Amino acid sequence: MLSALLFFCLVGSVAGVIAGLFGIGGGVVIVPALMVAFNQQGIDSTVVIHLAIGTSLAIIAVTGASSALGHWKQGAVVVELLKPMLPGLLLGAVLGGVIADQLRADLLERYFGFFMLLLALRMLVAKPPTAGKHPARRPAMIAAGTLIGTFSALFGVGGGVLSVPWLARSGARLGQAIGTSAACGLPIALVGAVTFMVTGQGQAALPSYSTGYLYWPAFAGIALFSVPCARLGVRLAHHLSPRLLRRLFALLMLLVGLKLIV
């Protein structure tokens, strides 16, 4: 167990540096890293992707709480936009966990691969989100929250890649969109992690020290080291070209996505 913990601390350190270096974190970095780690450990392939996503959501719930609190103190969380989205976010987080449980591991891996490819293409060609003047009506906000929550929980990501453009179009300035997105990611991660813990109960292929699809040694090691190492990545990023970083990270996601699909 000691060697496994040390290994996950290393994974957390690498994932943290990459997240800080490329300005994007959550499951986009952690899920692929966990899949590599679990395969190296010899964990049954039928549960690797589910275990990686469930553990990623639990890690995001912890690390994201600090981020959301920091944005709240800075006044960057727009409560008027968060409140109408909250029911949809919670519903979507449950739906994402339930849908993932119904998918075979190979299918879920391919869908995650396609998701990575779409994110990579978006990073390469998308422009900054266009600011809107007025928020959408409540039904549209709930529907958007449900969609964001479902995809975020299904793939174990924080949801910022989906919620920031929507919040910006709903009238939030970019800083407010990022802050409110961080607040949106917290309930998604909490509810999504609990859903994966429940749906994974009774899986005979799960390793020891698991609660459903949450593997505690990986959670402890990565959560402990990813936050301070992310700060190191942020410092390194200031010495490199942001445009070059986006292209490098997009290339990395393309390669990971293609590997999962093929």
Side-chain angles (χ1 to χ4, degrees), residues 76-94:
V77 177
V78 184
V79 179
E80 291 76 12
L81 294 176
L82 176 62
K83 286 177 64 176
M85 291 181 65
L86 191 56
L89 295 172
L90 297 175
L91 174 61
V94 175

Side-chain angles (χ1 to χ4, degrees), residues 78-93 135-149 159 162-168 170 177 180-181 183-185 187-188:
V78 184
V79 179
E80 291 76 12
L81 294 176
L82 176 62
K83 286 177 64 176
M85 291 181 65
L86 191 56
L89 295 172
L90 297 175
L91 174 61
R137 295 182 181 274
R138 186 177 182 85
M141 296 294 282
I142 294 175
T146 303
L147 190 65
I148 292 168
L162 302 173
S163 55
V164 169
W166 171 259
L167 290 165
S170 297
T180 309
S181 172
C184 289
I188 294 173

